[in-house]
Amino acid sequence: MPSQTTEPHEKVPPNGVHNKLLDQVIRPPGREPSPQPTHLGVPGISPHRVLHEEGPGYVAPVFEGREQQMEQVMDHIEEKGFIPPEFVESETNWFYNELGIDDNYFQTETVEAIVNHILSLYAGKVAAYARDDKRVEIRLDKEASDHAVYIDTSVPGVSNIHGPRYEQRIDEKYINGSTPASSYRVETFRSGSHLPGEGDQRLRCYFVYKCQFATPSADAQETNLEVVGEKRFLTKATKNTKEIYQEIMNNVVKRTGPVIEMFEIEGSRERRLVIAHRQGSALGIFSALSDLYHYYGLTSSRKYVEQFSNGITIMSIYLRPLPNDARGTQHPPIEASIHQIMKEVSLLYCIPQNKFQGHFASGRMSLQETIYAHCVWVFVGHFLNRLGSEYASLASILDPSNSVHAEMLSKIKKRLRTETFTSEYILEIINKYPDLIRSLYLSFANTHYVQTRGEQDDFIPTLSYLRLKVDKVLDEDELTTMISKSVANEHDEMVLSAFRVFNGSVLKTNFYTPTKVALSFRLNPAFLPEVEYPQPLYGMFLVISSEFRGFHLRFRDIARGGIRIVKSRNREAYSINLRSLFDENYNLANTQQRKNKDIPEGGSKGVILLDVDHQDKVKVAFEKYIDSIMDLLLKPTSPGIKDPIVDLHGKEEILFMGPDENTADLVNWATEHARSRGAPWWKSFFTGKSPKLGGIPHDVYGMTTLSVREYVLGIYRKLNLDQSQVRKLQTGGPDGDLGSNEILLGNEKYSAIVDGSGVLVDPRGLDRDELVRLAKKRAMISEFDTKLLSNEGYRVLVDENNVTLPSGEVVHNGTILRNTFHLRAGKEFDLFVPCGGRPESIDLGTVSRLISDGKCMIPYIVEGANLFITQDAKLRLEKAGCILYKDASANKGGVTSSSLEVLASLSFDDAGFVENMCHREDGTAPVFYGEYVKEVQETIKRNAALEFEAIWREHQETGLPRSTLSDVLSVAITKLDEELQNTELWDNEELKRSVLADALPRLLQEKIGLEIIMQRVPEGYLRAIFGSYLASRFVYEYGSSPSQFAFFNFMSKKMARIGSRPHNLPVRSNGS
């Protein structure tokens, strides 16, 4: 753990702990202001909000038939005979007039229902006399299609975790699933008087009503309460309440996260807490809020949950101290605790129902401790080393730089990671040691909790702060000893020790930021075992929310890669996805690193795994993931909203992201959000954005396909093939980016296409005009006009069964045919271009189906889709004579386009970027944009041709498989790139300008000027351009194992062009 420095004039607490003040926080350099994605009313920052209105702010319309109904109720009760006649009037009067139930209930319910409720309450009183403790215990619920009533006895300020849990039921049945089309409002209050004969029990009543909106389908940006409000709310809410809600509504529609406001009640210690958020963004928060304010010794007199047809939920909670409660002495006064509750609502919003909620509801652990434990539980589940020494021994024998060995190790790793430590088992272990968790949390808090306003901090006394003052914070040795002495066995020790690893790895976190939408942690990846992850990561982010968990991994400081969202069909699929989440993310980033050999950015990737119960939360998860990572990239400048964080990394970080699976339509939001938060790098934050935001869409301009086509055309060129006679198989149909552009750019004889809808085959060639029509429309082959097929052609869709093919074969299941068609290939295909499909569609177990008599039945394969063929399968295919180019080489057009999109955004100032790169409102493109796109396309083709020729030449010279050479060249380029960035060559101004002049797009230099570009683009990015350009050009020309003086010769030519002499040039030998 980092050491604490004590200044001579500071008073040291008895436990030796220094809570960090603002001037002690490590500040990252140069981070810009960040307008808030969430909103928090902060005492001391804005004037106190005092309500002068008496009462709850709601007035129910008077029910004119109340007295008549009451008479009918008493008559029915007398008829039933369960209550003695002399008690009928008093019991009815108590129910109508003393419990505080408003006329809305009596107007809604039938006489029969009211009679049943009164009888149930009376029965509870009678049953109490048969109990030893004489306690009245009432559990009453009625659920109809359009409303529900729940009545329960409870002690104010206590979460009854063994009771009926009506609030959880209301959450799950009525609030969580709320949408503008179907939602429910909730009113709940506690009776003002005690139950007869009871000292502490009171009735808590809940009334749930189906919403009837004034305007059922309002726009999401509409804020007028009279338009978006619910009819009952508009009728009952007072003018003052509407004004409060209107102000909050105006704020919440602009923000990603919740709005949290507090109001004082004039002449009272009561506080009114108002929380607004988007529907579906905080499942379970209604019930969890009760646990929160109970923990701080408060109780609620009333609560309201209001829904609005623009998709907003607003909750009002009326809080007061526990009346004459002996336990109140251990709680801070409401004037102090209400501020801590406001801060912790934001924490609760991130994970409303954490895995350790029971400890929190019972008061055994604080909210911070339970959510900390939840986050580490997630961490432990991914990183607990459970491979054992056998794996390490095997890994030491094999060569991790050999792609076949690396892939085999990866598969063995998956097999060895058995279910020894399931999520449930880890949870069971952690639950056994709440006291240990408290000590481990203190260690975490001691590092990352920032006391924002010194000893006069408005938010103290908080439990976090008090425990840092009172409890002893243990150092690493003491924690290790404590864990060893406390645990029952080795497994428990492994899990608890992982908490220490987590604490030691967190470089910065938004855990203590007052407003946030998910919890994010920037981790030092040094804890990853080298034997499992031989390529060291540069940076790692872990993001946790109730809807998802996600990582962002990068191999260099300057790195770029897509953000994908992984969905799961069922719990079994989720379990598989969960186990492979980090490894898949690591492998994708590693592939990206190899693919990015021609560009300045290294490889990165972000993967978001939706929780099994939140598969519909794609947009919510993406927005929370992006916003919480931005919390750690931008400097917080609004006290009480985005407080400073402890930054142990201490360096400015910029992430470059792009679209991937399930995120293509979300990148515009990310770009706009970065701009709204004041990020200076908003223009370059995401690629793949709309042309109106300066994006260059890969699909529109065929960027990825241009690279793939260059490899296909290279094969034709080398072998003198007529492409119009080449019989072609393609997975990934005319509806996709790669598939559609491959059809439009190519002129082969298509024999078969497989896409999500099924299989389309014609040995005589599919009609080209029809394929072009589908490609331009982006339609699946299910729309292919089958009348254009020859008598040998056929189409089988995934939902078709028992289809007879022209050959007489019967296809029993269309989905199975679709999934395996690429493995049925006979000798009717010359070229296979996978443009879509799941990873590992061809592996070592299935590759033999493509080989007959030792020969590959498909002579040429260009792998357009990422990871479609495993590395060991590629080597088998090449050994069988196939000419094969792998994904990391062929599929790099998109990354080149994105890199040049980023470069343009960094080179232009905001005004220039809008003028030259952003499409106009009418959709027309600036002249510069069109010309720049053409230069990008030419750059993609040039880079692809250079690598194709290098691999072809190296294969002829060495005989090594092309798929191996692709990796060898990538490693050689990236290694030389890193070396060059750290040599004195960068300090040679003439050389630097000459290389950048060659590397940077000509149009950018003509438009902006080299000098200005060098001033605007960050130096680290320019270094990366310098290194990657020189390294790739050298390796493409001289190969991966050049002669001893090859680099000297290469640089001599460069120097000769600028008239310099090649002094002190590094000599490169045998690729080292």
Side-chain angles (χ1 to χ4, degrees):
M1 299 298 295
S3 59
Q4 304 286 325
T5 304
T6 305
E7 296 296 331
H9 62 278
E10 292 181 281
K11 184 178 179 181
V12 181
N15 65 351
V17 172
H18 261 293
N19 201 254
K20 289 162 199 60
L21 305 183
L22 283 194
D23 56 353
Q24 295 172 300
V25 176
I26 301 173
R27 309 287 186 105
R31 296 195 296 179
E32 299 298 324
S34 54
Q36 285 62 58
T38 52
H39 176 93
L40 184 69
V42 185
I45 302 303
S46 55
H48 283 285
R49 312 288 295 277
V50 180
L51 297 182
H52 304 286
E53 179 182 52
E54 293 185 8
Y58 285 80
V59 178
V62 175
F63 176 33
E64 300 293 346
R66 179 186 173 105
E67 294 300 323
Q68 182 182 352
Q69 184 193 67
M70 194 171 168
E71 292 292 335
Q72 293 175 348
V73 166
M74 286 190 287
D75 290 344
H76 276 66
I77 292 174
E78 285 184 356
E79 288 175 13
K80 291 188 180 289
F82 292 117
I83 299 179
E86 61 270 26
F87 294 147
V88 169
E89 184 173 355
S90 61
E91 288 297 322
T92 306
N93 186 63
W94 175 71
F95 185 81
Y96 266 79
N97 299 317
E98 295 185 33
L99 291 184
I101 302 174
D102 67 29
D103 279 5
N104 216 33
Y105 162 81
F106 296 110
Q107 198 159 4
T108 303
E109 292 293 350
T110 63
V111 169
E112 187 65 31
I114 295 171
V115 168
N116 288 337
H117 293 166
I118 293 173
L119 290 175
S120 297
L121 294 175
Y122 183 78
K125 296 177 188 178
V126 173
Y129 288 99
R131 294 169 57 115
D132 292 337
D133 57 8
K134 305 300 180 188
R135 292 174 69 86
V136 177
E137 193 169 272
I138 294 167
R139 305 280 187 266
L140 188 155
D141 58 81
K142 177 201 171 185
E143 297 173 347
S145 60
D146 61 347
H147 71 283
V149 177
Y150 304 93
I151 300 176
D152 180 26
T153 48
S154 64
V155 178
V158 176
S159 294
N160 184 2
I161 58 178
H162 302 296
R165 307 291 271 170
Y166 284 143
E167 292 194 353
Q168 283 78 3
R169 190 162 164 181
I170 291 169
D171 259 333
E172 292 167 6
K173 191 160 187 176
Y174 298 105
I175 300 179
N176 288 351
S178 286
T179 65
S182 176
S183 51
Y184 294 82
R185 66 184 298 270
V186 180
E187 298 181 17
T188 171
F189 60 87
R190 188 178 295 283
S191 62
S193 58
H194 296 291
L195 292 171
E198 287 288 334
D200 52 2
Q201 294 267 89
R202 296 192 188 188
L203 281 182
R204 166 68 79 178
C205 304
Y206 302 89
F207 302 101
V208 183
Y209 301 102
K210 189 172 180 62
C211 291
Q212 299 175 1
F213 292 113
T215 307
S217 54
D219 185 86
Q221 298 303 310
E222 178 61 62
T223 58
N224 187 337
L225 286 190
E226 298 299 327
V227 175
V228 300
E230 199 270 343
K231 291 178 180 178
R232 282 191 186 86
F233 165 77
L234 293 175
T235 303
K236 294 179 66 175
T238 63
K239 179 184 177 184
N240 191 50
T241 295
K242 288 181 180 177
E243 288 174 355
I244 292 171
Y245 275 43
Q246 186 64 67
E247 180 185 344
I248 287 172
M249 179 66 75
N250 293 341
N251 283 324
V252 74
V253 295
K254 302 173 187 173
R255 304 180 188 277
T256 310
V259 168
I260 305 162
E261 287 278 7
M262 183 272 290
F263 301 87
E264 298 179 10
I265 308 299
E266 187 177 37
S268 166
R269 295 185 71 195
E270 187 171 276
R271 299 292 187 269
R272 184 174 175 184
L273 186 64
V274 184
I275 302 159
H277 60 83
R278 298 185 187 279
Q279 289 176 342
S281 65
L283 306 194
I285 196 169
F286 173 67
S287 55
L289 282 166
S290 297
D291 295 334
L292 177 59
Y293 58 73
H294 289 165
Y295 188 85
Y296 285 97
L298 303 181
T299 186
S300 65
S301 57
R302 289 180 171 271
K303 293 189 282 191
Y304 296 90
V305 180
E306 302 293 358
Q307 308 286 1
F308 297 87
S309 61
N310 60 352
I312 298 297
T313 299
I314 301 181
M315 299 183 186
S316 285
I317 305 172
Y318 297 71
L319 296 173
R320 56 180 59 167
L322 292 176
N324 303 318
D325 188 80
R327 295 176 308 124
T329 55
Q330 70 178 1
H331 298 116
I334 188 171
E335 291 78 7
S337 62
I338 189 67
H339 304 322
Q340 178 66 9
I341 288 171
M342 290 175 68
K343 287 184 74 173
E344 294 199 358
V345 167
S346 179
L347 194 60
L348 201 61
Y349 174 83
C350 298
I351 309 177
Q353 299 288 337
N354 71 72
K355 290 292 182 180
F356 304 92
Q357 194 78 15
H359 286 296
F360 174 46
S362 67
R364 183 78 186 269
M365 293 168 67
S366 71
L367 180 67
Q368 302 101 310
E369 289 162 347
T370 55
I371 290 188
Y372 161 79
H374 179 101
C375 292
V376 186
W377 167 73
V378 170
F379 175 87
V380 173
H382 289 291
F383 299 115
L384 193 63
N385 185 359
R386 47 200 186 274
L387 297 182
S389 58
E390 294 83 358
Y391 177 85
S393 300
L394 181 61
S396 66
I397 297 170
L398 297 176
D399 178 9
S401 63
N402 183 310
S403 52
V404 182
H405 291 190
E407 191 159 332
M408 186 168 70
L409 280 172
S410 175
K411 291 184 176 180
I412 293 172
K413 186 184 346 180
K414 287 181 186 177
R415 189 66 61 87
L416 287 176
R417 280 185 168 162
T418 57
E419 295 299 305
T420 308
F421 285 91
T422 62
S423 294
E424 293 74 20
Y425 183 40
I426 295 169
L427 190 64
E428 179 186 323
I429 291 171
I430 297 173
N431 265 315
K432 292 192 294 187
Y433 302 101
D435 292 334
L436 268 181
I437 302 306
R438 289 183 62 186
S439 296
L440 288 158
Y441 167 74
L442 278 177
S443 174
F444 171 81
N446 182 46
T447 301
H448 294 284
Y449 178 73
V450 178
Q451 190 182 338
T452 54
R453 280 172 286 279
E455 293 297 322
Q456 305 306 314
D457 193 331
D458 286 346
F459 290 117
I460 60 173
T462 68
L463 291 202
S464 299
Y465 179 72
L466 286 176
R467 285 183 177 160
L468 285 171
K469 286 290 210 179
V470 176
D471 295 352
K472 183 177 187 328
V473 179
L474 304 179
D475 61 28
E476 279 291 286
D477 292 339
E478 290 171 321
L479 277 174
T480 302
T481 302
M482 184 180 184
I483 291 170
S484 297
K485 289 182 176 179
S486 304
V487 296
N489 55 54
E490 183 183 356
H491 280 185
D492 292 10
E493 185 169 6
M494 288 175 68
V495 170
L496 272 300
S497 295
F499 275 73
R500 289 177 36 251
V501 174
F502 176 82
N503 286 357
S505 301
V506 177
L507 297 176
K508 49 185 171 178
T509 176
N510 69 350
F511 192 92
Y512 294 105
T513 301
T515 59
K516 51 192 167 286
V517 294
L519 295 170
S520 55
F521 304 89
R522 168 60 162 93
L523 301 172
N524 179 350
F527 70 88
L528 293 173
E530 186 179 352
V531 68
E532 293 186 52
Y533 306 101
Q535 290 293 114
L537 286 168
Y538 176 88
M540 177 194 300
F541 288 85
L542 168 62
V543 184
I544 301 171
S545 168
S546 57
E547 297 89 0
F548 70 94
R549 63 182 66 184
F551 290 99
H552 185 274
L553 309 177
R554 72 191 201 274
F555 281 92
R556 285 193 194 165
D557 184 14
I558 304 294
R560 197 188 58 75
I563 308 299
R564 69 169 50 182
I565 294 179
V566 177
K567 302 172 83 171
S568 308
R569 296 185 310 278
N570 48 45
R571 289 190 178 275
E572 181 184 4
Y574 174 76
S575 179
I576 294 168
N577 290 334
L578 180 63
R579 286 199 299 273
S580 63
L581 173 63
F582 182 80
D583 284 357
E584 179 180 339
N585 197 157
Y586 178 90
N587 292 332
L588 286 168
N590 204 4
T591 299
Q592 195 76 30
Q593 171 80 351
R594 295 196 301 271
K595 193 187 295 184
N596 290 9
K597 61 177 79 70
D598 296 323
I599 62 175
E601 301 98 334
S604 72
K605 207 73 170 182
V607 178
I608 300 167
L609 175 65
L610 294 177
D611 185 81
V612 66
D613 296 319
H614 295 277
Q615 294 298 301
D616 58 338
K617 296 293 194 307
V618 170
K619 187 171 185 290
V620 169
F622 180 82
E623 291 181 358
K624 289 186 175 186
Y625 174 89
I626 294 298
D627 188 69
S628 59
I629 286 180
M630 288 178 66
D631 284 344
L632 305 184
L633 301 179
L634 293 171
K635 181 179 180 180
T637 57
S638 301
I641 307 289
K642 290 290 182 185
D643 282 346
I645 60 175
V646 175
D647 185 353
L648 302 178
H649 184 58
K651 299 175 185 175
E652 183 181 15
E653 291 190 281
I654 302 175
L655 301 184
F656 301 105
M657 301 179 179
D660 206 312
E661 289 180 14
N662 298 311
T663 62
D665 57 344
L666 300 173
V667 298
N668 285 351
W669 176 88
T671 303
E672 295 284 15
H673 188 61
R675 175 155 60 176
S676 72
R677 286 198 62 175
W681 30 258
W682 68 269
K683 303 189 299 294
S684 61
F685 185 38
F686 257 86
T687 56
K689 51 190 178 289
S690 162
K692 289 185 178 180
L693 292 170
I696 302 177
H698 298 173
D699 55 348
V700 173
Y701 299 106
M703 298 303 192
T704 308
T705 312
L706 282 171
S707 179
V708 175
R709 285 301 300 172
E710 203 61 39
Y711 284 83
V712 173
L713 294 173
I715 293 173
Y716 296 161
R717 187 173 62 251
K718 293 292 185 184
L719 301 178
N720 295 316
L721 299 177
D722 177 0
Q723 69 167 299
S724 65
Q725 299 304 309
V726 172
R727 299 168 301 172
K728 184 175 182 179
L729 163 65
Q730 179 178 309
T731 56
D735 60 312
D737 168 12
L738 257 176
S740 63
N741 283 302
E742 181 66 21
I743 290 170
L744 294 173
L745 293 175
N747 189 34
E748 293 88 356
K749 179 181 176 182
Y750 269 94
S751 297
I753 293 181
V754 181
D755 71 5
S757 66
V759 176
L760 180 67
V761 181
D762 195 334
R764 297 188 181 181
L766 295 165
D767 185 273
R768 173 157 180 78
D769 291 339
E770 179 68 356
L771 289 179
V772 168
R773 181 186 73 82
L774 295 180
K776 289 181 176 179
K777 186 183 176 183
R778 286 296 180 87
M780 288 186 168
I781 58 171
S782 55
E783 295 189 29
F784 187 93
D785 184 356
T786 53
K787 294 194 297 290
L788 298 173
L789 293 172
S790 73
N791 57 5
E792 297 179 41
Y794 59 88
R795 184 186 66 191
V796 180
L797 302 179
V798 291
D799 55 358
E800 293 180 335
N801 297 318
N802 300 316
V803 177
T804 302
L805 304 183
S807 64
E809 178 188 354
V810 177
V811 173
H812 298 293
N813 185 294
T815 300
I816 293 175
L817 178 71
R818 189 273 312 270
N819 293 344
T820 60
F821 184 83
H822 61 281
L823 299 171
R824 293 164 49 100
K827 296 182 179 179
E828 62 268 26
F829 305 118
D830 303 311
L831 171 70
F832 177 25
V833 182
C835 294
R838 293 302 301 161
E840 302 186 3
S841 291
I842 301 175
D843 60 17
L844 202 56
T846 57
V847 69
S848 59
R849 295 170 66 176
L850 295 175
I851 298 171
S852 176
D853 299 326
K855 295 289 291 181
C856 180
M857 290 185 285
I858 303 178
Y860 323 118
I861 298 177
V862 177
E863 187 183 26
N866 283 325
L867 307 175
F868 188 85
I869 311 172
T870 63
Q871 182 67 12
D872 47 13
K874 289 187 182 90
L875 296 179
R876 284 286 305 277
L877 290 169
E878 289 205 63
K879 187 176 181 182
C882 180
I883 295 176
L884 187 151
Y885 282 89
K886 69 182 296 182
D887 53 351
S889 293
N891 182 355
K892 65 176 184 177
V895 302
T896 303
S897 174
S898 296
S899 180
L900 292 172
E901 180 185 326
V902 167
L903 181 59
S905 68
L906 292 173
S907 301
F908 281 111
D909 59 16
D910 283 8
F913 184 74
V914 171
E915 178 186 348
N916 294 287
M917 289 298 294
C918 296
H919 284 207
R920 310 297 177 238
E921 286 301 320
D922 62 3
T924 58
V927 174
F928 177 87
Y929 181 95
E931 294 174 348
Y932 191 64
V933 165
K934 291 178 182 175
E935 184 168 4
V936 171
Q937 291 174 322
E938 291 304 314
T939 302
I940 289 169
K941 291 193 283 188
R942 184 168 58 249
N943 287 347
L946 283 171
E947 184 174 359
F948 174 86
E949 293 293 343
I951 292 174
W952 190 277
R953 184 188 66 241
E954 290 262 306
H955 173 73
Q956 287 187 318
E957 292 176 356
T958 66
L960 290 173
R962 292 178 178 86
S963 50
T964 299
L965 287 170
S966 174
D967 293 337
V968 170
L969 288 176
S970 294
V971 171
I973 291 171
T974 53
K975 186 177 180 183
L976 178 57
D977 177 6
E978 291 168 1
E979 291 173 359
L980 289 173
Q981 289 186 46
N982 296 311
T983 64
E984 296 177 359
L985 291 177
W986 173 254
D987 299 325
N988 184 322
E989 288 296 324
E990 287 185 336
L991 176 63
K992 180 196 306 183
R993 279 174 169 73
S994 173
V995 172
L996 291 177
D998 289 342
L1000 297 172
R1002 175 185 55 80
L1003 280 171
L1004 276 183
Q1005 296 184 61
E1006 291 175 356
K1007 191 73 176 178
I1008 302 170
L1010 180 60
E1011 290 299 323
I1012 295 177
I1013 292 174
M1014 291 176 67
Q1015 292 170 20
R1016 290 176 177 170
V1017 178
E1019 182 180 337
Y1021 200 91
L1022 289 174
R1023 275 182 180 266
I1025 293 173
F1026 178 86
S1028 64
Y1029 183 82
L1030 282 179
S1032 62
R1033 271 31 184 193
F1034 171 73
V1035 172
Y1036 288 154
E1037 183 176 349
Y1038 290 91
S1040 57
S1041 301
S1043 65
Q1044 187 172 0
F1045 295 101
F1047 190 72
F1048 183 88
N1049 293 334
F1050 174 76
M1051 289 306 301
S1052 294
K1053 295 176 187 176
K1054 290 278 180 193
M1055 293 297 193
R1057 284 178 49 199
I1058 58 176
S1060 296
R1061 293 169 58 187
H1063 292 303
N1064 301 319
L1065 290 180
V1067 175
R1068 188 170 164 79
S1069 175
N1070 296 325
S1072 60

